[in-house]
Amino acid sequence: MQSSPLCIGLSLAATWLSASAWRRPDSQVERLCDLDFYRRVAQRAEDACLDFVFRPDALFLDLPALAQGPGFSSLDPALLLAALARDTRHIGLVTTAATSFNPPYVVARQLQSLDWISDGRAGWNIVTALDGSQNFGDAPLPPSAQRYRKALEFTEVVQALWRSYPQDAVLADRTSGRYADLARIGPIAHRGEYFSVQGPLNVPARAGGRIPLFQAGASDWGRDFAARVADAVFAATPDVACGQALRQDLRRRVAAYGREPDAIRMLPGLSLYLAPTRAQARALHEATHAGQDASRKRHYIGQALGLDVEHLDPAAPITARMLGQPQKGLRSPTHAQLLRRLIEREQPCLRELLARPEASASAHWTVVGTVDDAVDAIRQRADAGAADGFIALPGGAMQSLDLFLEAVVPRLAALGLARRAYASTTFAGNLGLA
């Protein structure tokens, strides 16, 4: 049985406007670049005592997808969260910065600045990026192993820069005229495979500061990277068994690197379509996805499974023996592997497969139902050891967000599965990190 509160975050990607949901009259889609839109969401999340709000990022514009929805076109996450810091007091603010394209000195400075602006509530979601290389030169993204080697060096450089200028080096002694003790500040003089950075950083670290590190990616290389550096992992785990396997594997890897197994939290995305009744929730889910481009799903299934989808009988089971090799250049091998495991486990027909979240290269844990259904599903995952928390992704309409914050979270708190109050003034403190 789960004995401590779960770590719960809320995506600021406005998932309740995804697919066809933005077309609802009450969607407020026109406000996607309006700070007040996000300010109110963040304040409501803080009122519910969530651990953090999180803004994913994309460094490109998907024009075909943009024809039918906003996708990931968005404000810069670091700037957005810095603005939200002034209107919140306790909730963690997790921004995303890619290691494939950004200079580590710039990212170190942005995050250290956000930590000051928010009084210790900054968090960093470390991604290697799957798309966007065309906006940073002509070279394609390197293979996964190389991207994660670069990410590890990038993270080590950022952390060294954070340490290079401690706050206690600032003396500000008006009498003597001595501003800083230079003996406590030093260059990092890093020379590595990917980066040469002299340092020190020009923003001091907060006294006792600790910026929690998050990582998104469940490939073998991603898991190994997370085991080395991350405090939490964002992951797609569509079912309990998948969540248990990933959590156990991460804890084994963490221990192998000399860290305590509890040092890392596994936080799956939880897509929530909520309504007063199950029938209403199913109708909301169906209406949201009714306009989705089935041809794009079929194309992705064919790529991921190595199948000629156009010649499949839509009602015939797809078995593991039918699967071929995934096509090269697949955007996310991790999601493709989840799709293949689904085939091996359930042998769905094509018609059934097209209705699953895995067919959209998402594979998030999904609950379509009432507040009771959501609470029961979360409790079952926690009790099964399949999650240490989750990232809430309300879907379909603003009502899913409302019901999650105003009904699901209080119910979880009553069960001891969500916090009732903040224990610390900093994000790391609320997460119980040293």
Side-chain angles (χ1 to χ4, degrees):
M1 294 288 290
Q2 180 74 22
S3 59
S4 59
L6 298 170
C7 180
I8 304 175
L10 173 67
S11 173
L12 288 178
T15 51
W16 53 95
L17 304 183
S18 60
S20 298
W22 66 271
R23 299 174 62 184
R24 294 173 58 95
D26 59 350
S27 72
Q28 302 183 55
V29 69
E30 296 83 4
R31 302 184 63 198
L32 275 180
C33 291
D34 183 343
L35 176 60
D36 286 338
F37 178 81
Y38 298 99
R39 176 186 290 120
R40 181 60 187 138
V41 173
Q43 289 173 333
R44 293 179 65 194
E46 184 169 78
D47 289 343
C49 292
L50 299 193
D51 288 272
F52 62 93
V53 288
F54 155 62
R55 176 67 222 194
D57 195 22
L59 295 168
F60 75 107
L61 189 60
D62 187 342
L63 287 176
L66 191 68
Q68 297 182 337
F72 273 98
S73 55
S74 69
L75 299 171
D76 181 278
L79 293 175
L80 173 62
L81 290 168
L84 296 179
R86 299 300 302 272
D87 297 296
T88 54
R89 290 291 177 268
H90 304 286
I91 196 164
L93 304 170
V94 181
T95 186
T96 299
T99 59
S100 297
F101 311 125
N102 291 300
Y105 194 96
V106 171
V107 171
R109 189 183 188 210
Q110 286 177 337
L111 284 158
Q112 197 93 293
S113 298
L114 179 60
D115 208 43
W116 273 106
I117 293 167
S118 65
D119 292 327
R121 293 183 289 125
W124 177 21
N125 175 39
I126 307 168
V127 297
T128 62
L130 293 171
D131 298 288
S133 60
Q134 70 274 15
N135 294 321
F136 298 88
D138 296 327
L141 278 172
S144 181
Q146 187 176 338
R147 294 203 310 274
Y148 277 108
R149 275 204 315 274
K150 184 177 181 179
L152 183 60
E153 184 181 340
F154 188 111
T155 305
E156 290 170 349
V157 171
V158 167
Q159 291 178 310
L161 287 168
W162 287 340
R163 295 190 297 267
S164 68
Y165 183 2
Q167 187 183 0
D168 61 11
V170 179
L171 306 176
D173 189 331
R174 290 176 171 83
T175 302
S176 68
R178 193 178 180 205
Y179 180 76
D181 180 356
L182 299 188
R184 302 184 190 181
I185 306 169
I188 66 171
H190 176 87
R191 300 293 181 271
E193 181 180 0
Y194 298 100
F195 303 106
S196 294
V197 182
Q198 182 68 12
L201 195 63
N202 62 353
V203 180
R206 294 177 67 260
R210 166 82 151 82
I211 298 177
L213 303 183
F214 293 72
Q215 186 264 348
S219 67
D220 191 62
W221 285 102
R223 295 182 191 198
D224 190 72
F225 172 76
R228 291 171 182 259
V229 305
D231 299 302
V233 171
F234 297 154
T237 58
D239 55 57
V240 170
C242 185
Q244 289 173 321
L246 176 57
R247 183 172 181 267
Q248 291 166 8
D249 182 56
L250 285 170
R251 291 168 68 84
R252 283 194 298 268
R253 292 175 189 249
V254 165
Y257 282 111
R259 302 173 65 195
E260 290 295 324
D262 289 338
I264 196 165
R265 293 169 168 85
M266 199 275 283
L267 309 177
L270 171 53
S271 185
L272 294 160
Y273 292 81
L274 301 177
T277 69
R278 290 177 179 173
Q280 290 171 324
R282 286 193 295 270
L284 175 65
H285 185 267
E286 290 170 5
T288 302
H289 296 89
Q292 279 196 323
D293 187 349
S295 64
R296 293 186 69 178
K297 284 188 177 183
R298 296 167 74 93
H299 178 68
Y300 171 71
I301 290 171
Q303 281 188 312
L305 300 181
L307 286 175
D308 182 0
V309 176
E310 299 307 319
H311 292 88
L312 284 179
D313 179 349
I318 302 172
T319 67
R321 296 181 62 181
M322 297 166 62
L323 303 182
Q325 291 298 314
Q327 293 183 16
K328 290 184 178 180
L330 201 63
R331 182 178 181 274
S332 174
T334 301
H335 288 153
Q337 190 59 39
L338 289 171
L339 187 64
R340 296 174 77 88
R341 283 204 288 266
L342 168 64
I343 299 298
E344 295 167 357
R345 187 175 63 251
E346 300 183 23
Q347 299 184 4
C349 67
L350 180 61
R351 186 179 296 116
E352 294 168 334
L353 189 56
L354 286 168
R356 295 289 293 258
E358 291 92 332
S360 300
S362 168
H364 284 305
W365 168 22
T366 301
V367 173
V368 180
T370 65
V371 168
D372 287 344
D373 292 328
V375 171
D376 288 344
I378 293 166
R379 180 171 52 187
Q380 288 169 11
R381 286 248 179 167
D383 289 346
D388 298 296
F390 58 90
I391 309 296
L393 311 169
M398 191 73 77
Q399 75 176 31
S400 293
L401 176 67
D402 295 341
L403 287 170
F404 170 67
L405 293 175
E406 297 169 10
V408 173
V409 176
R411 287 276 305 280
L412 293 175
L415 294 169
L417 293 175
R419 68 170 69 251
R420 292 179 179 271
Y422 291 101
S424 172
T425 59
T426 69
F427 185 27
N430 283 318
L431 293 180
L433 302 177

